[in-house]
Amino acid sequence: MSRVLRALFDALRLRCPQCHRGAVFASPFKIRTQCPVCDLVFERASGEMTGGMVINLVVTELIVVVVGSVYALFTTVPLLPLLTTLIIFAIVFPILFYHPARSLWVAILYLTKANTETD
Ligand SMILES: [Zn+2]
C-alpha cells in the first residue's frame, strides 16, 4: 500500500499516519497535540483545526450538490422532500464526519511534512 493511501486509511481509522497505532483523539472532542506512541505532532497551533473544518465543509457540500443534482435532474422526486432530506443531511453529516475530517487534515499535514517544520 502506498504511503499516501496508508496515511489516508489511518486517518479514517483515526490513527497516527506515521506509526499507524497512536490515537488522534484523546476524547470525543479533544484532539491530541501529538501522537502518544511516536510523538508526531498532530496540531502545531490551535488554528490548524481550520483545515479539518474545510475538509468537512467541502465533502458535505460536494455530496449535497452531487446527490441533489442527480435526484433533481434524473428522477421525479418532489422538490420539497428532496430539499428537506438534503438540509437534514447537511446538518447531521458534518457532525458525524468531524473526527475523520480532523484526522484527514493530520494525515495531509504528515504527507506534506507541514507538521514537522518549525517556525
Ligand atoms: Zn504515531
Side-chain angles (χ1 to χ4, degrees):
M1 188 184 301
S2 77
R3 181 174 176 257
V4 173
L5 288 178
R6 180 64 198 247
L8 296 177
F9 179 69
D10 287 331
L12 295 177
R13 292 176 47 233
L14 309 180
R15 295 291 171 200
C16 171
Q18 182 168 275
C19 70
H20 320 295
R21 294 186 326 206
V24 173
F25 284 87
S27 65
F29 293 101
K30 175 92 174 105
I31 191 169
R32 295 180 195 272
T33 55
Q34 65 185 56
C35 178
V37 177
C38 70
D39 294 333
L40 174 71
V41 176
F42 291 151
E43 194 173 67
R44 286 190 318 146
S46 60
E48 289 189 8
M49 69 180 292
T50 309
M53 292 169 59
V54 168
I55 290 172
N56 206 346
L57 179 71
V58 168
V59 169
T60 302
E61 297 308 319
L62 196 63
I63 292 171
V64 166
V65 167
V66 169
V67 170
S69 298
V70 167
Y71 272 91
L73 294 174
F74 301 113
T75 68
T76 57
V77 174
L79 189 59
L80 187 59
L82 176 62
L83 287 177
T84 304
T85 303
L86 289 174
I87 289 170
I88 291 170
F89 176 83
I91 293 169
V92 173
F93 181 78
I95 296 168
L96 300 175
F97 194 58
Y98 170 79
H99 289 101
R102 293 285 305 272
S103 191
L104 281 169
W105 184 245
V106 169
I108 289 171
L109 292 177
Y110 168 72
L111 291 170
T112 58
K113 301 187 186 321
N115 57 354
T116 57
E117 294 174 351
T118 55
D119 290 330

